[in-house]
Amino acid sequence: FEGLVACGGFSYGDVLGAGGGWAKSILFNPRARDEFEAFFHRADSFALGVCNGCQMMSQLHDLIPGAEAWPQFRRNLSEQFEARFVMVEVQDSPSLFFDGMAGSRMPIVVAHGEGRAVFREAGHESAAKLALRYVDHRGSPTENYPLNPNGSKGGATAYTTPDGRFTIMMPH
């Protein structure tokens, strides 16, 4: 197969941190790690991670070419599970999932307790390829709650790799 979609909805157990558990089951199993790394390094492969799949793939950043600067996704600043409609704007990025959609604004559902993008190192924020962000009713990027349900800086909520083959997004 060429494509992989890692879905949300507590894909690896109905607990907070499920995406991390999912990633560790790959990272700490040599056979699974090798298979995933080989898949990500193939020139014909692509993947999308949503919610828990986003958290999982962000923690597999060392295996995914171009994902080195991706953030981790931590507990929402509200300290609550957030479920609501919000407005997002598609950014100009190489993501094959958002091809031709740059500038589009649309309502989308969010349902997560751990969606805040947190970067591991200084400089990663400017290096990561933003694909989607929360915007307010005027179309400006927002950090204001509840328009930005998790508190990610600049409204950031989806990232892609420089070649656009691998994309992660929190809203779903």
Side-chain angles (χ1 to χ4, degrees):
F1 62 96
E2 294 176 3
L4 167 72
V5 177
C7 302
F10 294 106
S11 298
Y12 197 76
D14 194 9
V15 297
L16 291 175
W22 198 0
K24 286 175 181 63
S25 70
I26 295 165
L27 293 171
F28 298 141
N29 178 320
R31 182 175 176 197
R33 182 185 177 106
D34 290 348
E35 291 290 331
F36 272 84
E37 188 168 25
F39 173 80
F40 291 135
H41 280 83
R42 284 184 11 214
D44 68 341
S45 65
F46 64 92
L48 174 67
V50 181
C51 193
N52 288 143
C54 169
Q55 293 170 338
M56 180 268 290
M57 284 181 59
S58 78
Q59 292 186 37
L60 298 180
H61 62 89
D62 287 336
L63 308 181
I64 302 171
E68 299 82 10
W70 279 358
Q72 296 178 331
F73 290 84
R74 302 272 174 82
R75 192 165 177 95
N76 298 337
L77 285 182
S78 67
E79 296 286 323
Q80 300 179 77
F81 183 87
E82 301 291 345
R84 69 183 83 251
F85 277 106
V86 294
M87 185 68 71
V88 295
E89 180 182 58
V90 178
Q91 301 300 287
D92 185 17
S93 80
S95 174
L96 68 92
F97 296 98
F98 296 118
D99 187 38
M101 295 177 65
S104 298
R105 294 184 187 137
M106 62 196 99
I108 192 168
V109 173
V110 296
H112 60 260
E114 299 171 318
R116 183 171 48 96
V118 177
F119 290 90
R120 293 178 314 282
E121 294 182 25
H124 279 183
E125 185 175 0
S126 62
K129 301 283 184 200
L130 184 64
L132 197 66
R133 67 182 176 186
Y134 298 114
V135 294
D136 64 18
H137 61 284
R138 292 191 173 118
S140 298
T142 186
E143 295 177 21
N144 294 331
Y145 179 84
L147 303 175
N148 175 334
N150 54 45
S152 291
K153 187 174 177 183
T157 191
Y159 290 89
T160 193
T161 53
D163 64 5
R165 295 186 305 127
F166 306 107
T167 300
I168 55 174
M169 60 184 284
M170 187 46 62
H172 64 299

